[in-house]
Amino acid sequence: MPPELAPAALTLFADRLDLAAAYAELLATDGVLRGLIGPREAPRIWDRHLLNCAAVVERIPSGASVLDVGSGAGLPGLVLAIARPDLTVTLIEPLARRTSFLVEVVERLGLTRSVRVFRGRADEAASGSSGWEPISGDVVTARAVAPLDRLATWCLPLAVRGGRLLALKGSSAAAEIEEHADTVARLGGGDAAVHLCGVGVIDPPTTVVEIVRERMVGTARSAASKRSRGGHARRR
């Protein structure tokens, strides 16, 4: 870790900093070798990835169930689980080589009680399929996955009513909100808001678009009793 980042890392990870460092090492080694992290990203894992993701915890309520869509190498889902042991996190990822990495990392970091891996698409997780119960959660996260209209289509059905989508975005956040407001509303989402997370801790702060699921629309799950709130499954 670059020395100048140590204060921010300690603030965001506190007594779990050693666990975050172990994850950073796995990203910089196995993650690069297996093509989940680009070689040029290895020197920037702390500032560009871990701290950027960890700052989002300020938008997540205590004890929440979190679903991370398109988790890839575990960003931001695994980082959130490391920074906040009170959370239960499901990493949703369709590609086998990525889910294999995620399962291994979860086991090596000793996070099997709070983190599970779902191999499949977001729509499969939301609707359920052979052998699976539908999954829903209090918070749905996504980072560098797709424009806001597609993110809302994939992620809002995974949120419980009153739950929220937290999309990590860049400078395009405000423009995307304006462009895709109709799609978000049609999917039952409220007015999108932009939040800067980690102000005074990291520079630049993390830009997050937050959308609350105000209404249940579309192909909702058949009955609340059949939902697996914050539940987890893996393709057999």
Side-chain angles (χ1 to χ4, degrees):
M1 184 198 310
E4 65 273 16
L5 299 180
L10 184 58
T11 297
L12 292 170
F13 291 105
D15 60 356
R16 309 261 285 183
L17 183 55
D18 286 347
L19 196 59
Y23 177 46
E25 180 68 16
L26 289 171
L27 287 176
T29 53
D30 289 0
V32 172
L33 289 173
R34 295 162 73 164
L36 284 91
I37 294 289
R40 294 182 181 181
E41 293 298 301
R44 309 198 307 178
I45 281 175
W46 279 98
D47 60 340
R48 186 176 175 85
H49 299 292
L50 270 68
L51 300 182
N52 176 265
C53 292
V56 180
V57 296
E58 67 186 60
R59 303 301 310 171
I60 302 178
S62 177
S65 55
V66 179
L67 311 183
D68 185 33
V69 172
S71 197
L75 303 165
L78 268 175
V79 177
L80 300 177
I82 292 170
R84 287 276 300 277
D86 60 298
L87 305 177
T88 56
V89 179
T90 303
L91 309 175
I92 300 174
E93 171 57 52
L95 296 184
R97 67 183 179 87
R98 294 176 180 172
T99 55
S100 295
F101 174 80
L102 292 173
V103 169
E104 292 172 23
V105 171
V106 168
E107 292 176 350
R108 290 176 69 174
L109 296 181
L111 296 173
T112 54
R113 290 189 177 183
S114 61
V115 182
R116 299 291 175 87
V117 179
F118 180 102
R119 182 185 165 195
R121 302 188 309 271
D123 61 316
E124 293 175 320
S127 62
S129 60
S130 300
W132 304 341
E133 290 186 354
I135 294 175
S136 60
D138 303 310
V139 176
V140 184
T141 59
R143 180 178 189 253
V145 174
L148 192 58
D149 58 339
R150 279 190 278 164
L151 274 186
T153 301
W154 297 334
C155 296
L156 282 179
L158 287 164
V160 299
R161 185 171 184 174
R164 66 196 69 183
L165 163 63
L166 298 179
L168 283 69
K169 288 287 184 180
S171 59
S172 66
E176 287 193 46
I177 287 174
E178 182 176 359
E179 181 179 358
H180 303 302
D182 289 345
T183 299
V184 170
R186 189 164 59 248
L187 292 164
D191 293 337
V194 177
H195 300 282
L196 297 179
C197 299
V199 174
V201 179
I202 59 173
D203 185 24
T206 305
T207 301
V208 175
V209 174
E210 180 173 338
I211 302 171
V212 174
R213 189 180 192 188
E214 296 181 344
R215 296 175 291 110
M216 308 295 279
V217 298
T219 55
R221 291 167 284 282
S222 58
S225 62
K226 293 183 179 179
R227 291 179 191 154
S228 178
R229 187 180 182 186
H232 316 290
R234 191 185 309 164
R235 187 185 299 274
R236 297 174 180 175

